[in-house]
């Protein structure tokens, strides 16, 4: 529930919305709102709550990604501008307002670029990127099968690629690095060419389905290749096809 509520609130883009909510509350309690403002708030709530309701009803779970909600957030940002202008009018020192503006801009820039920076400069991501490069280089040299499975039926809910090799339990970017695709639980009958299991776990703790042999290893993953040139079809109904998380 807490994660769901955080996503809902995060979808308002709190960097701007916190100021907007404060201004909205002030204008509501001071009876300063206009009919146009009321319409604007109604549109925001209708779109915002309606989107959340559709996802909850359709997926039967309390989960919503904030990326679905952020497109509605700019409806609030006019109130943010009102709050900033009122704050500016109350500050008698222009230099102080200028300094605060620079700090806010730097904060927004960090918020925008931080997730990308972390992808390349945190120790965890550096290790994962190195592991992906090593595994991708190995698979590109090791895979001798056909590069495509031919035309596949189109399914309405999930994208589907005929590219091979098919990787299971691998980082998504690794599938693209080898020119293949990832195994999708929505298509359990699809064959698996390579299976990845977290490294450092014993055979009892990390059982590997029949039909695979270990061919490579990095600090993060053990790589298993299907002994069938056409790829092994996992029996997920029996629970034998699920590698550990």
């Amino acid at each position: 529930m807490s994660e769901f509520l955080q996503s809902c609130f995060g979808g308002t883009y709190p960097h701007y919305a916190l100021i907007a909510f404060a201004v909205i509350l002030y204008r509501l309690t001071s009876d300063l709102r206009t009919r146009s403002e009321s319409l604007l708030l109604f549109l925001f709530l209708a779109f915002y709550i309606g989107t959340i309701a559709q996802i909850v009803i359709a997926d039967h779970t309390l989960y919503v990604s904030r990326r679905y909600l952020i497109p509605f957030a700019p409806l609030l940002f006019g109130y943010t501008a009102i709050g900033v202008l009122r704050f500016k009018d109350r500050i008698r020192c222009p230099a102080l307002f200028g300094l605060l503006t620079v700090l806010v801009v730097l904060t927004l820039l960090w918020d925008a670029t931080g997730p990308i920076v972390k992808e390349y400069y945190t120790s965890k991501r550096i290790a994962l990127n190195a592991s992906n490069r090593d595994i991708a280089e190995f698979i590109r040299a090791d895979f001798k099968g056909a590069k495509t499975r031919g035309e596949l039926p189109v399914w309405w809910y999930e994208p589907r690629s005929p590219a091979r090799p098919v990787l299971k339990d691998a980082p998504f970017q690794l599938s693209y690095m080898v020119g293949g695709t990832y195994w999708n639980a929505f298509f359990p009958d699809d064959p698996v060419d390579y299976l990845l299991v977290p490294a450092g776990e014993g055979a009892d703790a990390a059982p590997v389905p029949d039909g695979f042999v270990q061919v490579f290893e990095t600090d993060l993953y053990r790589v298993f290749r299907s002994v069938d040139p056409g790829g092994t079809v996992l029996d997920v109904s029996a629970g034998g096809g699920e590698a550990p998380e």
Side-chain angles (χ1 to χ4, degrees):
M1 175 62 77
S2 61
E3 183 179 351
F4 171 71
L5 294 177
Q6 289 175 13
S7 296
C8 292
F9 179 63
T12 64
Y13 199 65
H15 301 74
Y16 290 168
L18 284 174
I19 299 176
F21 288 140
V23 174
I24 291 172
L25 181 62
Y26 171 75
R27 294 182 69 83
L28 289 176
T29 56
S30 303
D31 199 26
L32 295 175
R33 73 181 187 280
T34 63
R35 294 182 61 182
S36 298
E37 290 181 39
S38 299
L39 176 61
L40 183 65
L41 287 175
F42 170 78
L43 291 174
F44 169 76
L45 292 175
F47 291 145
Y48 205 81
I49 297 176
T51 299
I52 295 173
Q54 290 180 66
I55 295 174
V56 172
I57 293 172
D59 293 342
H60 305 290
T61 181
L62 285 178
Y63 171 79
V64 60
S65 174
R66 61 181 179 177
R67 71 176 182 271
Y68 299 132
L69 305 175
I70 284 180
F72 307 127
L75 292 175
L76 299 174
F77 295 167
Y79 292 103
T80 304
I82 292 175
V84 171
L85 291 175
R86 293 293 184 268
F87 180 70
K88 179 179 180 296
D89 293 339
R90 291 178 177 275
I91 291 183
R92 301 184 181 278
C93 179
L96 177 59
F97 183 79
L99 176 61
L100 293 175
T101 301
V102 170
L103 292 176
V104 169
V105 170
L106 291 176
T107 300
L108 293 175
L109 287 174
W110 172 250
D111 179 69
T113 59
I116 299 175
V117 171
K118 288 191 294 185
E119 288 291 309
Y120 297 96
Y121 291 101
T122 63
S123 58
K124 182 177 180 180
R125 291 302 308 189
I126 290 173
L128 179 59
N129 291 339
S131 175
N132 285 342
R133 286 193 297 269
D134 292 341
I135 295 175
E137 182 178 354
F138 168 80
I139 291 179
R140 285 196 296 264
D142 179 74
F143 183 68
K144 306 302 182 184
K147 296 295 185 181
T148 179
R149 291 180 286 156
E151 186 175 345
L152 296 175
V154 176
W155 203 50
W156 68 276
Y157 190 80
E158 284 284 325
R160 198 174 189 189
S161 170
R164 289 184 64 193
V166 180
L167 278 58
K168 184 177 187 300
D169 294 333
F172 286 147
Q173 60 266 42
L174 183 57
S175 301
Y176 299 106
M177 292 171 70
V178 301
T181 187
Y182 60 90
W183 185 86
N184 194 324
F186 284 104
F187 312 111
D189 294 332
D190 283 356
V192 177
D193 295 305
Y194 292 90
L195 172 67
L196 271 68
V197 175
E201 298 183 10
D204 292 338
V208 177
D210 294 336
F212 291 90
V213 58
Q214 183 170 339
V215 291
F216 192 70
E217 185 173 5
T218 67
D219 291 339
L220 298 182
Y221 288 102
R222 290 185 289 155
V223 182
F224 294 82
R225 180 179 60 212
S226 170
V227 298
D228 182 353
T232 296
V233 177
L234 299 175
D235 184 10
V236 295
S237 62
E242 291 298 332
E245 294 295 335

